[in-house]
Amino acid sequence: LFLGVCGDEFSVLRSPQSVVFRDGSWPIPGERIPDVAALSMGFSVEDDLSWPGLAVGDLFHRPRATVLVTVKGVDKLALPVKGVSYPIENAVPFSLDSVANAIHTLFSEETPVVLQLAPSEERVYMVGKANSVFEDLSVTLRQLRNRLFQDNSILSSLPLNSLSRNNEVDLLFLSELQVLHDIASLLSRHKHLAKDHSPDLYSLELAGLEEVGKRYGEDSQQFKDASQILVDSLQKFADEMFNLYSGNAVVEVVAVKTFNSPLTRKTRSILQSPESETENPYNLAYPYNYNYSVIFNIILWMMIGLALAVIVISYNLWNMDPGYDSIIYRMTNQKIRMD
């Protein structure tokens, strides 16, 4: 039933014993992937997730890190069988901004590492100790190209097969693999951050394989070689990150052929005219946030308590006898002072 709809794949390469992913072919909605990452880290989500693939694990031992790699241009990767994979239903663009905000809010006084990176788009977002750990990480296309031709790059050890060092598309694909290698290498110099109590988050988006498919075709030898090299690099990266966190990290891969709709941010001009009445003919109220009832009850009973307190205090002040209310007034009596 889902063969025509669920062509993309969500895979879990490595996970600790405290996070349980069940074996099965349950499709996961594309827009709920961030909720899966949040729940696996022990955070709450606004809407309940009724997906049976994620079981209730150990609530007192949550993973120290979540690593999510999104690979564009392919709907399935030949990953090793020791992991678990699920089809994706309605693969829409997503982001882990909600998870990053939760980490930044709850662990702002500690040392979390939050890294969100898309090398092909030169898009990077760092929070916490990530600014110091990945200070030397190449993030621009020029930096990535220069990094590939240094002595300690992956070109010296990676079998290129049909790929070429002189093609810009191939270099873009190889530079993303270099980023994976550099992230694990730079983090290994700060192993103490992988052992603290604050959770870390890594979100990477790789589009190099998609460009290779556009350049040579998906049936070409270059695309096949690039896919195999990517699978080997992802597995090596997953093992390195899993070992750096002493086996307490979740490493996930999302393979997406193409997203169904672009991820856009809605903006509104200050000169824009107000919405016409035809857009909301029934004059319906806007949907409430799930915290509305909590805030309403807090404000309601606080106001009732303050009103009752004012009434009681005012009544007692009005009926107070100034001659017997305090020892100050009694000591002013001349007879008591003479005695």
Side-chain angles (χ1 to χ4, degrees), residues 13-27:
L13 299 185
R14 303 298 295 269
S15 63
Q17 295 181 353
S18 60
V19 181
V20 180
F21 286 94
R22 297 172 178 171
D23 293 331
S25 300
W26 303 289

Side-chain angles (χ1 to χ4, degrees), residues 226-294:
S227 300
Q228 185 59 45
I229 294 174
L230 178 60
V231 168
D232 296 339
S233 299
L234 286 176
Q235 187 60 49
K236 181 181 178 182
F237 175 69
D239 294 338
E240 290 176 347
M241 297 296 289
F242 190 74
N243 294 330
L244 284 173
Y245 283 92
S246 301
N248 198 10
V250 180
V251 184
E252 303 161 336
V253 175
V254 175
V256 178
K257 182 70 174 180
T258 55
F259 286 114
N260 293 340
S261 59
L263 180 63
T264 57
R265 297 184 181 272
K266 296 183 178 181
T267 59
R268 179 175 179 177
S269 173
I270 59 175
L271 300 179
Q272 182 179 352
S273 60
E275 297 182 357
S276 60
E277 295 183 358
T278 58
E279 296 181 2
N280 190 6
Y282 302 106
N283 194 25
L284 300 179
Y286 61 89
Y288 291 107
N289 186 276
Y290 72 102
N291 286 326
Y292 172 80
S293 60
V294 178

Side-chain angles (χ1 to χ4, degrees), residues 16 52 67 88 90 95 121 166 173 199 203 205 253 261 301 315 319:
V67 183
I88 299 178
N90 187 25
S95 69
E121 301 178 5
N166 300 321
F173 168 75
S203 176
E205 183 176 315
V253 175
S261 59
W301 294 108
Y315 177 81
N319 295 278

Side-chain angles (χ1 to χ4, degrees), residues 132-164:
S132 58
V133 174
F134 303 110
E135 181 181 3
D136 299 329
L137 185 66
S138 300
V139 294
T140 66
L141 295 177
R142 181 183 296 274
Q143 292 175 348
L144 293 171
R145 181 183 177 87
N146 295 335
R147 176 69 181 91
L148 274 178
F149 291 98
Q150 295 179 3
D151 295 335
N152 58 345
S153 69
I154 61 174
L155 292 181
S156 59
S157 59
L158 195 67
L160 300 182
N161 298 331
S162 59
L163 300 179
S164 174

